[in-house]
Amino acid sequence: MPKNWISIYKIAQKHNNFGIFHCLLPFLLYIRNEIDKPMALTEHIIYFAAQHGGSFRKKELLDELRMDASVNEASVSAILGRLVATGRMIKTGWGEYALAEGLKPRFLVRPRDEALGIGMALKERYPFVDFCVWDSFCVVPFMLHVPNVNITVVDVERDMLPTFFDALKEMFPENIILPHPSKEEFYTYGDGKDSIVIHPLCTESPLDTFRGLQVPMAEKVLVDIAINPEFDYLQGSEVFTIFEHAFRSCSISRPSLLRYARRRGSTDIIQNILSNIDISEHD
């Protein structure tokens, strides 16, 4: 069975038969969303708790989730109940919860509104193209020195990169758009400026979803900031700080990190970072 509905679309495209695809698409989207929804919400709740020092009120959580129309109080209560029953959270009072000691949340990538707007515009125009979107703000919590610049990254299947470049220039003419730049090109045209950088999406990249958009998982972000030219300003001591803080405060999959690093041809770089930071508690 194809891995996802995008694979089905590509098969239909290859055989010039879209009838079956269009019949199955609503069902496939429904199944995917129903499977992903509980897991995504569970991780969001754990991440929310971690951001609030480990403890929070249910009302605060509901206020945070209110913007998502698919989330209701009953589903949140059910998930909180399961988290308590499985020992991942404890109930500390009426409508009050806390993370169990030692539990670390996943590092969830949550793009800011500007990056979300870019992603939504691209998804509306190219609903069947495989891409993800994120921005440099996602690593700010792990940094010592925060730059006053925002970089939005769009990773898209390689043969669609020129199309996305043209579309972004048309839709966001005021932005600097850089298609798969070298380090020299980035320093020439994007250094110190807010910009949108487009890269080919590496196959088997670890991806997640947020508000209907594909976003990278932590392991992809960590590898990308260590090797992408637009993040050269982080690739001194700062990248070691980011890795160390991320491993200490979040649940990071080392096998997934190294698997993606191999796909990007950067295993030596990532191994060097891992061997020079204190993550002994994760070994």
Side-chain angles (χ1 to χ4, degrees):
M1 183 175 179
K3 194 173 180 180
N4 53 42
W5 63 272
I6 295 173
S7 300
I8 294 176
Y9 173 81
K10 290 180 177 178
I11 292 172
Q13 186 180 47
K14 180 179 178 180
H15 295 282
N16 197 28
N17 182 2
F18 290 91
I20 294 177
F21 173 78
H22 287 296
C23 288
L24 289 176
L25 179 56
F27 173 73
L28 292 170
L29 288 173
Y30 173 79
I31 293 297
R32 185 192 66 179
N33 290 338
E34 290 304 306
I35 291 173
D36 290 347
K37 192 186 303 178
M39 179 62 71
L41 184 54
T42 298
E43 297 295 347
H44 194 147
I45 291 171
I46 294 173
Y47 187 69
F48 176 85
Q51 286 183 313
H52 288 73
S55 61
F56 64 96
R57 294 177 179 272
K58 180 180 173 181
K59 182 181 182 303
E60 297 170 336
L61 175 63
L62 291 171
D63 289 342
E64 166 77 10
L65 298 173
R66 187 174 297 158
M67 64 185 67
D68 189 342
S70 67
V71 176
N72 56 55
E73 185 171 355
S75 61
V76 171
S77 297
I79 291 175
L80 287 171
R82 285 198 294 271
L83 288 170
V84 171
T86 55
R88 301 172 76 186
M89 280 191 177
I90 56 175
K91 193 168 184 179
T92 58
W94 183 260
E96 297 178 346
Y97 297 84
L99 284 177
E101 187 175 355
L103 180 66
K104 292 182 178 180
R106 280 178 53 208
F107 170 7
L108 300 181
V109 176
R110 297 295 180 251
R112 291 197 172 188
D113 289 345
E114 182 179 348
L116 284 174
I118 292 168
M120 291 296 185
L122 289 169
K123 184 177 180 181
E124 183 176 354
R125 182 173 291 196
Y126 305 106
F128 306 125
V129 174
D130 200 9
F131 75 96
C132 72
V133 61
W134 55 290
D135 59 44
S136 54
F137 285 112
C138 69
V139 295
V140 165
F142 309 112
M143 297 174 64
L144 285 180
H145 307 99
V146 180
N148 186 27
V149 64
N150 179 36
I151 299 170
T152 299
V153 180
V154 177
D155 297 294
V156 62
E157 48 190 275
R158 185 176 294 274
D159 59 351
M160 288 296 294
L161 199 151
T163 301
F164 266 43
F165 173 60
D166 292 337
L168 286 168
K169 282 200 303 180
E170 175 193 330
M171 293 187 289
F172 304 98
E174 71 284 358
N175 288 67
I176 297 171
I177 318 291
L178 300 172
H180 199 35
S182 65
K183 184 185 297 187
E184 293 73 21
E185 289 170 335
F186 182 79
Y187 274 112
T188 299
Y189 302 107
D191 186 30
K193 305 169 186 174
D194 291 352
S195 55
I196 303 172
V197 179
I198 316 171
H199 288 296
L201 180 63
C202 183
T203 56
E204 300 181 28
S205 294
L207 301 177
D208 202 350
T209 57
F210 178 61
R211 298 189 192 172
L213 288 175
Q214 284 198 131
V215 296
M217 296 181 72
E219 294 78 13
K220 172 172 163 49
V221 168
L222 290 174
V223 172
D224 287 351
I225 65 169
I227 62 175
N228 282 10
E230 66 271 21
F231 295 110
D232 183 64
Y233 67 96
L234 298 178
Q235 291 163 13
S237 61
E238 194 72 53
V239 73
F240 291 86
T241 299
I242 292 171
F243 268 68
E244 185 165 305
H245 288 177
F247 268 90
R248 285 182 175 179
S249 57
C250 297
S251 175
I252 307 292
S253 170
R254 189 165 181 163
S256 178
L257 181 83
L258 292 173
R259 186 163 52 249
Y260 178 65
R262 283 195 296 272
R263 302 292 297 178
R264 293 289 315 267
S266 59
T267 301
D268 290 346
I269 294 173
I270 302 305
Q271 287 281 26
N272 178 61
I273 294 172
L274 294 177
S275 64
N276 283 282
I277 61 175
D278 180 14
I279 55 172
S280 56
E281 62 187 275
H282 301 276
D283 294 337

